[in-house]
Amino acid sequence: GAGVSQSPSNKVTEKGKDVELRCDPISGHTALYWYRQSLGQGLEFLIYFQGNSAPDKSGLPSDRFSAERTGGSVSTLTIQRTQQEDSAVYLCASSLVGTHTDTQYFGPGTRLTVL
Amino acid sequence: ELKVEQNPLFLSMQEGKNYTIYCNYSTTSDRLYWYRQDPGKSLESLFVLLSNGAVKQEGRLMASLDTKARLSTLHITAAVHDLSATYFCAVEEYGNKLVFGAGTILRVKS
Protein backbone atom coordinates (compact mmCIF):
# COMPACT_ATOMS: atom_id res chain seq x y z
CA GLY A 1 0.00 0.00 0.00
CA ALA A 2 0.91 3.62 -0.28
CA GLY A 3 1.15 4.28 3.42
CA VAL A 4 0.67 2.89 6.89
CA SER A 5 -2.92 1.84 7.51
CA GLN A 6 -4.65 1.25 10.83
CA SER A 7 -7.97 -0.19 11.82
CA PRO A 8 -10.41 0.56 13.22
CA SER A 9 -10.23 4.33 12.94
CA ASN A 10 -12.42 4.69 16.01
CA LYS A 11 -13.17 2.28 18.82
CA VAL A 12 -15.51 2.84 21.72
CA THR A 13 -15.47 0.22 24.43
CA GLU A 14 -16.62 -0.30 27.97
CA LYS A 15 -14.25 -0.36 30.88
CA GLY A 16 -12.96 -3.87 31.49
CA LYS A 17 -13.29 -5.09 27.91
CA ASP A 18 -10.37 -6.17 25.73
CA VAL A 19 -9.56 -4.40 22.46
CA GLU A 20 -7.36 -5.16 19.48
CA LEU A 21 -5.89 -2.51 17.23
CA ARG A 22 -4.36 -3.37 13.88
CA CYS A 23 -1.53 -1.85 11.89
CA ASP A 24 -0.43 -2.56 8.32
CA PRO A 25 3.00 -1.03 7.72
CA ILE A 26 4.39 0.22 4.44
CA SER A 27 5.37 -2.77 2.32
CA GLY A 28 9.04 -3.62 2.75
CA HIS A 29 9.55 -1.64 5.92
CA THR A 30 11.49 -3.65 8.45
CA ALA A 31 10.62 -1.71 11.58
CA LEU A 32 7.23 -1.08 13.17
CA TYR A 33 6.41 1.16 16.12
CA TRP A 34 3.42 1.87 18.29
CA TYR A 35 2.93 5.24 19.98
CA ARG A 36 0.11 6.70 22.03
CA GLN A 37 -1.09 10.29 21.88
CA SER A 38 -3.17 11.69 24.70
CA LEU A 39 -3.92 15.17 25.98
CA GLY A 40 -2.20 14.68 29.28
CA GLN A 41 0.87 12.75 28.18
CA GLY A 42 1.57 13.91 24.63
CA LEU A 43 3.14 11.41 22.26
CA GLU A 44 4.60 8.37 24.00
CA PHE A 45 6.53 5.44 22.62
CA LEU A 46 4.99 2.05 23.40
CA ILE A 47 6.78 -0.75 21.53
CA TYR A 48 9.16 -1.31 18.62
CA PHE A 49 9.62 -4.32 16.33
CA GLN A 50 12.64 -4.73 14.09
CA GLY A 51 12.94 -7.77 11.86
CA ASN A 52 13.24 -10.99 13.83
CA SER A 53 14.71 -9.35 16.91
CA ALA A 54 12.94 -9.38 20.24
CA PRO A 55 10.68 -6.33 20.43
CA ASP A 56 11.54 -3.35 22.60
CA LYS A 57 8.60 -3.25 25.01
CA SER A 58 10.06 -0.61 27.29
CA GLY A 59 7.25 1.88 26.69
CA LEU A 60 4.30 -0.36 27.48
CA PRO A 61 2.54 1.22 30.48
CA SER A 62 1.33 -1.99 32.10
CA ASP A 63 1.08 -5.73 31.57
CA ARG A 64 -2.42 -5.21 30.20
CA PHE A 65 -0.76 -4.04 27.00
CA SER A 66 0.80 -6.46 24.53
CA ALA A 67 1.63 -6.47 20.85
CA GLU A 68 2.49 -8.97 18.17
CA ARG A 69 3.90 -8.69 14.70
CA THR A 70 3.13 -11.63 12.46
CA GLY A 71 5.28 -12.55 9.51
CA GLY A 72 7.30 -9.39 9.84
CA SER A 73 4.38 -7.34 8.59
CA VAL A 74 0.99 -6.75 10.24
CA SER A 75 0.95 -5.89 13.93
CA THR A 76 -1.80 -6.08 16.54
CA LEU A 77 -1.78 -4.08 19.77
CA THR A 78 -3.98 -5.66 22.44
CA ILE A 79 -5.20 -3.92 25.55
CA GLN A 80 -6.81 -6.17 28.13
CA ARG A 81 -9.28 -5.06 30.76
CA THR A 82 -9.35 -1.51 29.41
CA GLN A 83 -9.40 1.43 31.79
CA GLN A 84 -10.56 4.99 31.19
CA GLU A 85 -6.97 6.22 31.26
CA ASP A 86 -6.30 4.07 28.18
CA SER A 87 -8.41 6.48 26.12
CA ALA A 88 -6.07 7.99 23.53
CA VAL A 89 -5.13 7.92 19.89
CA TYR A 90 -2.89 4.95 19.13
CA LEU A 91 -0.50 5.62 16.29
CA CYS A 92 1.47 3.08 14.34
CA ALA A 93 4.59 3.95 12.32
CA SER A 94 6.98 2.03 10.11
CA SER A 95 10.45 2.68 8.75
CA LEU A 96 13.10 1.08 6.60
CA VAL A 97 15.92 0.71 9.11
CA GLY A 98 19.40 1.08 7.75
CA THR A 99 18.63 3.93 5.41
CA HIS A 100 20.33 7.27 5.88
CA THR A 101 17.37 8.86 7.60
CA ASP A 102 15.32 5.97 9.07
CA THR A 103 12.30 8.27 8.92
CA GLN A 104 9.24 6.87 10.65
CA TYR A 105 6.02 7.19 8.64
CA PHE A 106 2.86 7.33 10.68
CA GLY A 107 -0.57 5.87 10.08
CA PRO A 108 -3.86 7.73 10.65
CA GLY A 109 -4.28 6.32 14.14
CA THR A 110 -7.02 4.57 16.08
CA ARG A 111 -8.98 6.74 18.48
CA LEU A 112 -9.85 4.61 21.50
CA THR A 113 -12.51 5.76 23.93
CA VAL A 114 -13.08 3.76 27.10
CA LEU A 115 -16.39 4.54 28.78
CA GLU B 1 16.51 9.64 30.20
CA LEU B 2 16.15 11.80 27.12
CA LYS B 3 13.89 14.81 27.52
CA VAL B 4 12.72 17.05 24.70
CA GLU B 5 11.36 20.53 25.29
CA GLN B 6 9.66 22.73 22.75
CA ASN B 7 8.78 26.35 22.99
CA PRO B 8 6.57 28.13 22.58
CA LEU B 9 3.72 25.68 23.06
CA PHE B 10 1.29 28.03 21.38
CA LEU B 11 2.05 30.58 18.71
CA SER B 12 -0.42 32.96 17.15
CA MET B 13 1.01 35.00 14.34
CA GLN B 14 -0.09 37.26 11.54
CA GLU B 15 0.29 36.30 7.93
CA GLY B 16 3.52 37.56 6.47
CA LYS B 17 5.43 37.51 9.75
CA ASN B 18 8.48 35.43 10.66
CA TYR B 19 8.89 33.33 13.74
CA THR B 20 10.97 30.51 15.22
CA ILE B 21 10.06 27.39 17.19
CA TYR B 22 12.76 25.99 19.46
CA CYS B 23 13.48 22.39 20.39
CA ASN B 24 15.95 21.56 23.16
CA TYR B 25 16.96 18.03 24.11
CA SER B 26 18.87 16.70 27.04
CA THR B 27 21.24 14.01 25.76
CA THR B 28 23.27 13.27 22.64
CA SER B 29 21.36 11.89 19.68
CA ASP B 30 22.08 10.98 16.07
CA ARG B 31 18.85 12.18 14.53
CA LEU B 32 16.24 14.85 15.03
CA TYR B 33 12.94 15.01 13.18
CA TRP B 34 10.28 17.63 12.66
CA TYR B 35 6.69 16.54 12.07
CA ARG B 36 3.50 18.41 11.28
CA GLN B 37 0.06 17.37 12.51
CA ASP B 38 -3.21 18.84 11.25
CA PRO B 39 -6.29 18.57 13.51
CA GLY B 40 -7.65 15.04 13.52
CA LYS B 41 -4.87 13.84 11.26
CA SER B 42 -1.70 11.86 11.69
CA LEU B 43 1.90 13.03 11.69
CA GLU B 44 3.53 14.15 8.48
CA SER B 45 7.31 14.06 8.24
CA LEU B 46 8.84 17.45 7.42
CA PHE B 47 12.58 17.21 8.04
CA VAL B 48 15.25 14.91 9.37
CA LEU B 49 18.48 16.47 10.63
CA LEU B 50 21.49 14.24 11.00
CA SER B 51 24.54 16.28 11.83
CA ASN B 52 25.74 19.42 13.50
CA GLY B 53 25.04 22.47 11.38
CA ALA B 54 22.51 20.66 9.22
CA VAL B 55 19.98 22.95 7.58
CA LYS B 56 16.96 21.82 5.60
CA GLN B 57 14.44 24.05 3.84
CA GLU B 58 11.07 23.36 2.27
CA GLY B 59 8.99 26.29 1.15
CA ARG B 60 8.51 28.71 4.04
CA LEU B 61 9.95 26.33 6.63
CA MET B 62 13.62 25.96 7.50
CA ALA B 63 15.02 23.64 10.13
CA SER B 64 18.49 23.66 11.63
CA LEU B 65 20.42 21.62 14.16
CA ASP B 66 23.16 22.53 16.63
CA THR B 67 24.21 19.29 18.29
CA LYS B 68 26.64 21.00 20.64
CA ALA B 69 23.88 23.16 22.07
CA ARG B 70 21.38 20.28 21.70
CA LEU B 71 19.07 22.71 19.97
CA SER B 72 17.03 22.61 16.81
CA THR B 73 15.01 25.45 15.36
CA LEU B 74 12.12 25.53 12.93
CA HIS B 75 11.95 28.93 11.28
CA ILE B 76 8.81 30.13 9.57
CA THR B 77 9.21 32.80 6.92
CA ALA B 78 6.32 35.02 5.81
CA ALA B 79 3.68 32.80 7.38
CA VAL B 80 0.54 31.88 5.48
CA HIS B 81 -2.71 30.45 6.82
CA ASP B 82 -1.97 26.99 5.37
CA LEU B 83 0.89 26.62 7.84
CA SER B 84 -1.55 26.48 10.75
CA ALA B 85 -0.97 23.10 12.43
CA THR B 86 0.81 21.54 15.39
CA TYR B 87 4.55 21.04 14.93
CA PHE B 88 6.49 18.41 16.83
CA CYS B 89 10.18 17.83 17.13
CA ALA B 90 11.29 14.29 17.92
CA VAL B 91 14.71 13.09 18.94
CA GLU B 92 15.92 9.57 18.38
CA GLU B 93 16.83 7.68 21.51
CA TYR B 94 18.41 4.24 21.44
CA GLY B 95 16.99 1.67 19.07
CA ASN B 96 15.14 4.10 16.80
CA LYS B 97 12.74 5.04 19.58
CA LEU B 98 11.53 8.63 19.18
CA VAL B 99 11.01 10.97 22.11
CA PHE B 100 8.67 13.78 21.17
CA GLY B 101 8.37 17.33 22.36
CA ALA B 102 4.99 18.56 23.58
CA GLY B 103 4.25 20.20 20.25
CA THR B 104 3.76 23.81 19.19
CA ILE B 105 0.29 24.83 18.11
CA LEU B 106 0.69 27.38 15.33
CA ARG B 107 -2.20 29.62 14.30
CA VAL B 108 -1.67 31.99 11.42
CA LYS B 109 -4.21 34.77 11.29
CA SER B 110 -5.22 36.50 8.09
Side-chain angles (χ1 to χ4, degrees):
Chain A
V4 178
S5 60
Q6 293 185 245
S7 61
S9 55
N10 280 285
K11 177 72 177 178
V12 180
T13 190
E14 293 179 349
K15 178 180 172 182
K17 303 278 188 177
D18 298 352
V19 295
E20 284 189 353
L21 312 179
R22 178 188 167 104
C23 172
D24 280 275
I26 292 172
S27 178
H29 277 192
T30 54
L32 186 148
Y33 314 78
W34 284 98
Y35 293 86
R36 176 168 75 171
Q37 186 173 26
S38 58
L39 280 176
Q41 301 298 324
L43 271 154
E44 306 171 276
F45 165 81
L46 297 177
I47 188 168
Y48 161 53
F49 296 90
Q50 164 56 18
N52 295 321
S53 302
D56 177 351
K57 303 179 182 180
S58 60
L60 295 178
S62 79
D63 58 8
R64 296 186 295 104
F65 288 71
S66 62
E68 289 185 341
R69 188 179 185 194
T70 54
S73 181
V74 171
S75 177
T76 302
L77 177 69
T78 302
I79 309 173
Q80 296 179 309
R81 304 181 302 281
T82 53
Q83 304 294 313
Q84 288 182 332
E85 62 262 28
D86 299 334
S87 296
V89 176
Y90 289 81
L91 293 165
C92 176
S94 70
S95 71
L96 185 56
V97 173
T99 61
H100 190 49
T101 62
D102 285 358
T103 298
Q104 295 181 26
Y105 296 91
F106 283 79
T110 294
R111 181 175 295 278
L112 175 66
T113 304
V114 182
L115 301 176
Chain B
E1 182 188 351
L2 173 61
K3 293 198 181 298
V4 180
E5 291 186 357
Q6 273 182 251
N7 69 84
L9 298 183
F10 182 77
L11 178 54
S12 178
M13 54 192 299
Q14 294 286 338
E15 277 193 330
K17 298 292 187 182
N18 305 333
Y19 210 89
T20 301
I21 299 170
Y22 298 88
C23 175
N24 287 90
Y25 54 100
S26 60
T27 63
T28 303
S29 173
D30 291 335
R31 294 187 181 91
L32 186 142
Y33 301 85
W34 284 95
Y35 286 89
R36 168 181 172 146
Q37 186 176 39
D38 291 290
K41 305 289 186 180
S42 192
L43 296 164
E44 173 191 353
S45 174
L46 294 174
F47 302 108
V48 55
L49 301 167
L50 302 176
S51 60
N52 190 43
V55 177
K56 296 280 186 71
Q57 182 162 8
E58 181 72 34
R60 300 175 187 273
L61 300 178
M62 183 173 72
S64 66
L65 178 62
D66 181 343
T67 57
K68 293 178 183 177
R70 296 178 188 153
L71 170 68
S72 180
T73 60
L74 181 66
H75 188 72
I76 302 149
T77 302
V80 293
H81 181 72
D82 286 352
L83 289 179
S84 296
T86 300
Y87 293 85
F88 292 92
C89 65
V91 180
E92 186 178 282
E93 205 175 39
Y94 64 88
N96 293 58
K97 166 186 169 182
L98 292 182
V99 178
F100 283 84
T104 297
I105 300 172
L106 174 65
R107 293 291 175 262
V108 182
K109 298 185 288 187
S110 305

